[in-house]
Amino acid sequence: MGEQLGLLKVTVVQGKRLVIRDFKTSDPYVILKLGNQTAKTKVINSCLNPVWNEELSFSLREPVGVLSLEVFDKDRFKADDKMGHAHLNLQPIASAARLKQFAKVSSGETILRKVVPDTDNCLARESSISCINGEVVQSVWFRLCAVESGEIELKIKLIDPPVASSK
């Protein structure tokens, strides 16, 4: 693995119009993967528009990879049902973080880059990568793939790696 780019803090905010996988509803949870790192939200019972507001953390290293997201319906007596998946290339947020360091942006709010929906990213709508008071953040709405309906909102924050002090 290459150079550490920082800590990626991903807040799984909410889901909208998720699919029914049980009798009249679902019990959704989200699994995020980045390389060999995996994190999971809590299960929200009987809900098609869940609010998690859970922060999950990953170490971001070169080469910058893809953040994968899968939504499942928790079942008690059989395998959990798939409720869709999505992915996001993290190169744009990593590039924006480099731009922030180069431009020495540190206070206020500055939009560093926009990412538009295309076949490469599962975005439901345009997403901005901003520098807010020195932190690089991106708010993302995913359109879930391989499923009839559903969107997931994430807020992604890239925290700079600690700088080694030279004495």
Side-chain angles (χ1 to χ4, degrees):
M1 280 303 221
E3 163 193 6
Q4 180 169 354
L5 299 177
L7 182 67
L8 193 72
K9 292 192 172 198
V10 181
T11 302
V12 181
V13 179
Q14 64 180 323
K16 293 279 187 212
R17 297 180 307 281
L18 299 183
V19 293
I20 295 171
R21 286 292 183 252
D22 291 334
F23 183 58
K24 287 185 177 174
T25 188
S26 290
D27 307 309
Y29 65 93
V30 177
I31 293 179
L32 293 175
K33 292 180 183 170
L34 177 60
N36 61 0
Q37 303 169 83
T38 302
K40 177 182 155 186
T41 67
K42 64 185 179 284
V43 174
I44 307 266
N45 292 314
S46 303
C47 191
L48 300 178
N49 296 294
V51 175
W52 287 280
N53 276 325
E54 261 185 78
E55 185 177 86
L56 307 170
S57 296
F58 299 90
S59 176
L60 188 63
R61 299 185 168 280
E62 287 283 6
V64 175
V66 171
L67 181 69
S68 299
L69 168 152
E70 287 185 285
V71 184
F72 290 92
D73 168 47
K74 182 74 177 159
D75 285 327
R76 182 173 287 181
F77 300 112
K78 58 185 178 76
D80 293 351
D81 300 311
K82 291 184 178 184
M83 295 178 66
H85 60 86
H87 63 274
L88 180 71
N89 183 345
L90 295 173
Q91 194 61 56
I93 196 168
S95 298
R98 283 190 205 96
L99 177 64
K100 177 203 84 160
Q101 290 170 338
F102 180 73
K104 307 239 186 300
V105 178
S106 61
S107 63
E109 182 172 348
T110 305
I111 294 177
L112 300 171
R113 178 167 190 174
K114 289 189 183 292
V115 182
V116 296
D118 66 23
T119 54
D120 193 37
N121 64 21
C122 305
L123 294 183
R125 52 190 75 108
E126 184 177 273
S127 172
S128 292
I129 301 172
S130 302
C131 181
I132 302 174
N133 296 322
E135 295 183 326
V136 177
V137 296
Q138 181 178 13
S139 188
V140 183
W141 274 98
F142 287 109
R143 179 185 61 257
L144 294 174
C145 301
V147 72
E148 308 87 82
S149 69
E151 293 183 357
I152 296 284
E153 180 186 13
L154 300 183
K155 289 196 184 330
I156 301 169
K157 187 187 300 183
L158 180 54
I159 311 291
D160 292 336
V163 178
S165 59
S166 52
K167 293 184 179 180

